[in-house]
Amino acid sequence: MSAMDTDGTVLAAAQGLLIIGPLAVGVALVAMLIGVVWWGRRKRQQQPPPPRPEEQPRLPDSGPVHEVREHREPNELPPSEHRLTPHELKRTNGS
């Protein structure tokens, strides 16, 4: 065997590793994705089914409920040097 034949064999082996490496990573990735899909389907089967049409919420007999708007006078604070913390503020109906 000559030196050139040995160099060609080394290059061929290196090229084989360049092909096998990404192929192995791709197979591992596909296997992982298949496992994740299988696991997700198993988890989904354990959940209760979606509600049937007769179990869906219904409008009240009086019709849809409308938003109530009211105008309230502002509860202004007197000017002072002391900054009030939330627990020192007066309680309002909205909170």
Side-chain angles (χ1 to χ4, degrees), residues 3-60:
M4 293 193 90
D5 289 339
T6 308
D7 290 341
T9 306
V10 171
L11 283 176
Q15 286 179 346
L17 288 177
L18 288 176
I19 293 172
I20 292 174
L23 183 64
V25 169
V27 168
L29 185 63
V30 168
M32 183 182 70
L33 289 173
I34 289 172
V36 167
V37 168
W38 173 78
W39 181 72
R41 288 184 63 138
R42 225 177 99 210
K43 285 291 191 183
R44 182 133 191 206
Q45 287 176 350
Q46 293 173 355
Q47 294 177 350
R52 295 186 309 266
E54 60 270 6
E55 296 173 338
Q56 296 290 331
R58 303 263 179 224
L59 279 176

